[in-house]
Every structure is written in C-alpha cells, then in structure tokens.
C-alpha cells in the first residue's frame, strides 16, 4: 500500500519513528523501499552528489522534475517528497504554487521548502490549495552564503528562540512536516515537543519523529563533507541493502542518531 501523509500522521500519533533517505533514481527507489524506507526525498543535494557541484544553488526545477519522475517510476510504496530548488519558492506564493504543481505532476506527494517564517504565506497558499508542504529550518543549504558556511544553527538563546517561533508559525500556516537540519539536539527535542506535526531531523538529535540522511553520505560514498552527524552504515554491512536495513532498524529503535552523531 502506498505511504501517504496520513500514514506518516498515524505513525506519529503512535510514536512510531519513520525513516527518510534521499533518492534520485528509479533503481534506488525500489531498493530503498524494499529495505523499509518510508519516505524518499528527491533532494536538491543531487547538485552535490550527482552533479558534482559545491552547493545546491545551481539545481534547476527541470533537474528536480527529471529526478522526481525517475524516483516515481521506481517507487510503489514509499512516499515521495521533492525539494523546491533555489529560486522556485522565493518570489511569490503564486510562482511557488506553479512550480510545486510541476513536481506533483512528476510524482511528488509533498514538496519541501527551505526557510522560516518568511515562507509562512507561501506555505499557507500551497496547503490551502492542496499541495502538502514540509518546511525546512535550521541550516538551509540554499542560504549557505548568508550563513557563511554549513554551520550549526540555533546555538545562541536568541537564534534558538527564533527557530522555535519559526517552527510554530510554519505549523500554524499548514506545514504537514517540519525538517530541522544542523541544530542542537536539545533544541530539536524542544521544538518536537511543542509542535503537533512530525519533525524530521538531520544533525538534530534523536528526539525528532523521523530521521533523514543523504543516501551517498550514509553509504560512505560522498566524502566531501565530514560532518559529525553522518554515519557510514556500510562500515558494518556486506551489501548496500544490509546498510539501508541497518539504518532503518537503528532509526526505528532509537539507536540512531546516538550521542556521537548529535550536537
Ligand atoms: O537536499 C537534501 O538532501 C536535503 C537534506 C539535506 C535534508 O534537503
């Protein structure tokens, strides 16, 4: 049976963790869902791991449509989430709706948009018109130049407060999911506890409702970024499938991320 937003909602209500991995093609879509991954994120990280770019900024809507179509052809069960790439969600709610609609037509069931409260109007516009949104806060890679690098966010009292407020505002605007990247585990836990929607963490500790990693990072294939939260699941596995199953099991049983992989 196809995983939907309602499936994730039920898992959240039953305090059951769900698993997310990035995915960019049909073959891996089949492999990942057969290994029990609940959500396939067609991430604009494809700019790094597929296209060889230093940032995600050059990824286009056409790139995202192409890879979403590939993933949709391979996935029968897993929910498909697609990233809105840089420049496709910042201009206006109407422009974003137009672009998000193309990702849905390519097979996405939900779109992910980077940004805090500034995106609230857009999130409301899309969700009121039938497009589910995952809001992405904390380290938002499309703003890497604004942040001056891939740095931990929310570590001062003021920035932590801002992130909590952003999370609340985005939930009120209708976001179905909230993804937090590179934030202290204690802050992500606090945000998870105040919200009534599932949270997905990457470098955000183990208290989130779900976890995501970039596939090529957790398979130990992409060595450019040496970030503390990345775990190479191939280290104790004999095959890609075993590594992915170990990730799924570790997330579901609260064994990943552990202290070693959080801030
Ligand atoms: O593009 C991506 O892979 C992402 C993850 C880092 C969450 O947005």
């Amino acid at each position: 049976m196809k995983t939907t937003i309602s499936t994730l909602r039920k898992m959240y209500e039953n305090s059951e963790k769900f698993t997310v991995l990035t995915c960019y093609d049909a073959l891996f879509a089949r492999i990942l869902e057969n290994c029990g991954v609940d959500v396939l994120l067609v991430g604009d990280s494809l700019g790094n791991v597929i296209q060889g770019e230093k940032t995600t900024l050059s990824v286009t809507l056409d790139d995202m449509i192409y890879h979403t179509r590939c993933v949709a052809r391979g996935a029968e069960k897993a929910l498909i989430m697609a990233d809105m790439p840089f420049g496709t969600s910042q201009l206006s709610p109407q422009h974003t709706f137009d672009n998000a609609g193309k990702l849905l037509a390519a097979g996405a069931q939900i779109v992910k948009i980077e940004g805090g409260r500034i995106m609230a109007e857009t999130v409301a516009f899309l969700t009121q018109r039938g497009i589910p949104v995952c809001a992405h806060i904390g380290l938002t890679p499309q703003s890497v130049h604004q942040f001056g690098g891939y740095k931990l966010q929310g570590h001062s009292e003021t920035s932590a407060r801002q992130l909590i407020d952003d999370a609340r505002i985005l939930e009120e605007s209708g976001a179905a999911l909230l993804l937090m990247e590179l934030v202290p585990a204690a802050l992500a836990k606090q945000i998870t506890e105040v919200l009534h929607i599932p949270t997905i963490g990457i470098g955000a500790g183990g208290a989130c409702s779900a976890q995501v990693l970039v596939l090529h990072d957790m398979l130990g294939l992409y060595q450019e970024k040496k970030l503390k939260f990345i775990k190479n699941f191939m280290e104790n596995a004999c095959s890609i499938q075993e590594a992915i199953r170990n990730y799924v099991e570790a997330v579901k049983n609260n064994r990943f991320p552990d202290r070693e992989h959080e801030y």
Side-chain angles (χ1 to χ4, degrees):
M1 217 165 59
K2 187 77 176 163
T3 301
T4 64
I5 299 292
S6 316
T7 320
L8 301 183
R9 182 88 221 155
K10 270 195 204 112
M11 291 171 86
Y12 168 70
E13 281 161 7
N14 293 333
S15 303
E16 191 188 330
K17 300 246 164 167
F18 58 89
T19 51
V20 188
L21 280 177
T22 65
C23 184
Y24 316 102
D25 62 56
L27 181 62
F28 264 107
R30 195 160 313 141
I31 292 173
L32 298 189
E33 69 172 19
N34 284 340
C35 292
V37 177
D38 299 299
V39 179
L40 308 179
L41 168 61
V42 189
D44 60 357
S45 51
L46 67 86
N48 305 109
V49 299
I50 305 286
Q51 297 173 337
E53 299 287 353
K54 292 268 182 284
T55 71
T56 58
L57 295 170
S58 56
V59 175
T60 65
L61 184 62
D62 282 344
D63 293 334
M64 293 307 302
I65 291 170
Y66 170 78
H67 286 279
T68 301
R69 268 209 198 103
C70 293
V71 170
R73 273 187 218 115
E76 283 178 9
K77 294 177 281 186
L79 180 135
I80 301 172
M81 170 152 59
D83 258 338
M84 306 262 341
F86 183 61
T88 64
S89 60
Q90 290 86 354
L91 294 185
S92 69
Q94 288 82 352
H95 183 241
T96 311
F97 182 88
D98 226 27
N99 294 328
K102 291 178 184 147
L103 291 171
L104 259 61
Q109 292 159 271
I110 180 167
V111 296
K112 179 162 76 60
I113 297 179
E114 293 188 11
R117 69 196 71 181
I118 188 79
M119 302 313 298
E121 192 191 345
T122 297
V123 171
F125 191 91
L126 264 61
T127 55
Q128 285 163 14
R129 287 162 180 78
I131 301 185
V133 175
C134 172
H136 179 161
I137 63 168
L139 187 277
T140 45
Q142 291 168 16
S143 304
V144 59
H145 297 311
Q146 187 96 324
F147 293 132
Y150 295 98
K151 296 175 183 165
L152 187 71
Q153 301 297 306
H155 46 84
S156 73
E157 212 177 294
T158 316
S159 61
R161 172 55 49 204
Q162 265 168 10
L163 281 179
I164 295 168
D165 290 346
D166 281 352
R168 279 216 182 95
I169 293 168
L170 289 161
E171 177 184 51
E172 277 162 21
S173 305
L177 304 170
L178 180 87
L179 188 145
M180 292 181 272
E181 179 166 355
L182 263 184
V183 300
L187 175 61
K189 182 171 188 284
Q190 199 184 341
I191 292 176
T192 299
E193 283 168 359
V194 297
L195 295 193
H196 304 93
I197 54 172
T199 59
I200 305 172
I202 175 163
C208 297
S209 326
Q211 294 292 324
V212 60
L213 282 177
V214 170
L215 177 67
H216 295 59
D217 287 341
M218 59 83 72
L219 293 178
L221 298 172
Y222 188 73
Q223 307 276 344
E224 316 264 313
K225 279 193 262 154
K226 296 257 185 268
L227 294 165
K228 186 183 175 187
F229 68 82
I230 297 171
K231 176 170 173 173
N232 178 358
F233 281 83
M234 276 307 283
E235 261 168 16
N236 298 309
C238 297
S239 66
I240 285 175
Q241 282 88 341
E242 189 183 345
I244 294 162
R245 275 194 218 102
N246 288 347
Y247 165 74
V248 169
E249 208 179 278
V251 171
K252 298 234 179 225
N253 294 307
N254 295 309
R255 282 190 285 101
F256 178 78
D258 51 18
R259 278 282 164 83
E260 194 192 329
H261 296 97
E262 64 183 32
Y263 298 90

